[in-house]
Amino acid sequence: MVNEIFLGHSLFKTSLVHLATLAALNTVTVAALACEQLRMEPGGIVTSVTDGDTVILDDGRVVRMIGTQAPKLPLDRPDFPTWPLAPEAKAALEAIALNQPVRLGFGGETMDRYGRVLAHVFVEAPDGEIWAQQAMIARGLARVYSFPDNRACLDLLFAAEGRARLAGLGIWADPYYSTRAANAPGDLLARAGHYELVEGRVLLAEQSGGRVYLNFGRFWKEDFTAVIEAPALRLFAEDGLDPLVLENALVRIRGWVDDRDGPRIEVTHPEQIEVLATR
């Protein structure tokens, strides 16, 4: 199990023993645990799998499997490249869910702007339900990808991702998905427009103009920075978290890299930050 602490639940308080236990649980048990905080509804039959994180039900609903991001396929988007292992991720989800009855679990917003249902998908299987999100992440064919309005069950998904990453499964063996170094801003600039995991030590955490800046270098217009805007700071405060205490901490930030005064990631909710060491 990775020696890390997930900021989203309580700063430096989550038990590493508890997280290791979650990672070791079998799929059926994990599904049962995850369901406790979700509002469950019948889903119907999965009639089609679009890619590694999207399925279509027999009533025509398109379900985006919230909490995960699988490697992407072009899906009729011109000039969109196929991400490495995208066909394999689709095939794996087909093996889990295609033509199978499912239940849907809701823990936040239920629909996105494209009209897709946002849900956790639980596949009815002979030995018990399979939580599709956890199964895909555990195989290294998806990674945790969360939203400020949909944060349920993330500790279990992080546990599965940590185990898959340590084992070098699936995407974690491909350089396309490698964790990037915060102290290599040139490499990060080359990944602008991509969703990345970035690791490094916070040199300075400061608040200015209603934002918090986590600076990873001395030259803030060139080095990597994580920016926490006011709406996100409200979520931190609601969880009793103060990101300013992250100064000198070793962290992993996940999100979309942009190029504004050097490479940066906007943090919209606490789960985008994983604390690896406090000093």
Side-chain angles (χ1 to χ4, degrees):
M1 181 61 196
V2 182
N3 183 23
E4 57 197 32
I5 305 170
F6 304 115
L7 178 58
H9 286 273
S10 59
L11 190 58
F12 315 140
K13 293 180 182 177
T14 301
S15 164
L16 297 180
V17 173
H18 175 61
L19 289 175
T21 302
L22 293 178
L25 291 172
N26 63 54
T27 301
V28 175
T29 305
V30 167
L33 282 173
C35 282
E36 292 184 0
Q37 58 182 299
L38 300 176
R39 176 173 57 84
M40 303 300 300
E41 294 183 4
I45 305 294
V46 173
T47 58
S48 180
V49 172
T50 304
D51 56 22
D53 55 35
T54 308
V55 300
I56 300 176
L57 303 178
D58 55 355
D59 60 7
R61 287 182 294 170
V62 179
V63 180
R64 172 67 171 86
M65 289 165 45
I66 198 68
T68 62
Q69 182 195 62
K72 294 184 178 295
L73 292 165
L75 301 178
D76 298 324
R77 288 173 288 190
D79 302 320
F80 189 96
T82 298
W83 292 11
L85 294 176
E88 290 84 349
K90 178 183 178 182
L93 186 54
E94 286 176 334
I96 293 169
L98 186 59
N99 298 322
Q100 301 300 316
V102 298
R103 294 197 305 156
L104 304 180
F106 298 95
E109 288 295 316
T110 60
M111 189 169 293
D112 68 10
R113 60 180 176 172
Y114 305 108
R116 299 178 300 183
V117 175
L118 303 175
H120 293 268
V121 174
F122 296 88
V123 182
E124 296 181 20
D127 296 329
E129 286 188 323
I130 297 173
W131 183 14
Q133 275 94 327
Q134 189 270 350
M136 291 293 290
I137 289 175
R139 298 178 188 189
L141 292 173
R143 54 188 170 183
V144 178
Y145 180 63
S146 55
F147 296 86
D149 55 8
N150 240 311
R151 301 164 61 196
C153 308
L154 292 177
D155 55 347
L156 294 162
L157 296 181
F158 275 120
E161 184 191 278
R163 184 170 59 175
R165 188 169 54 246
L166 275 179
L169 300 180
I171 63 174
W172 306 114
D174 192 301
Y176 186 89
Y177 304 98
S178 293
T179 300
R180 314 297 172 184
N183 63 358
D187 294 342
L188 287 172
L189 280 177
R191 300 296 294 174
H194 292 254
Y195 188 85
E196 300 291 340
L197 277 62
V198 181
E199 287 184 8
R201 191 170 295 277
V202 179
L203 181 67
L204 176 66
E206 62 178 351
Q207 187 156 5
S208 175
R211 303 179 179 91
V212 166
Y213 297 90
L214 304 180
N215 296 302
F216 290 78
R218 298 185 182 280
F219 304 102
W220 61 270
K221 285 197 172 184
E222 300 175 9
D223 291 315
F224 174 65
T225 305
V227 182
I228 310 174
E229 300 279 0
L233 287 175
R234 287 193 287 271
L235 294 179
F236 278 79
E238 288 172 6
D239 285 358
L241 306 175
D242 180 5
L244 293 176
V245 305
L246 292 174
E247 188 165 306
N248 296 318
L250 181 65
V251 300
R252 180 185 303 124
I253 310 283
R254 66 182 65 216
W256 293 94
V257 178
D258 61 42
D259 179 8
R260 294 173 61 183
D261 293 326
R264 60 164 226 165
I265 287 176
E266 180 180 350
V267 174
T268 63
H269 56 290
E271 286 83 359
Q272 284 178 259
I273 302 175
E274 299 163 72
V275 180
L276 308 182
T278 58
R279 290 290 183 271

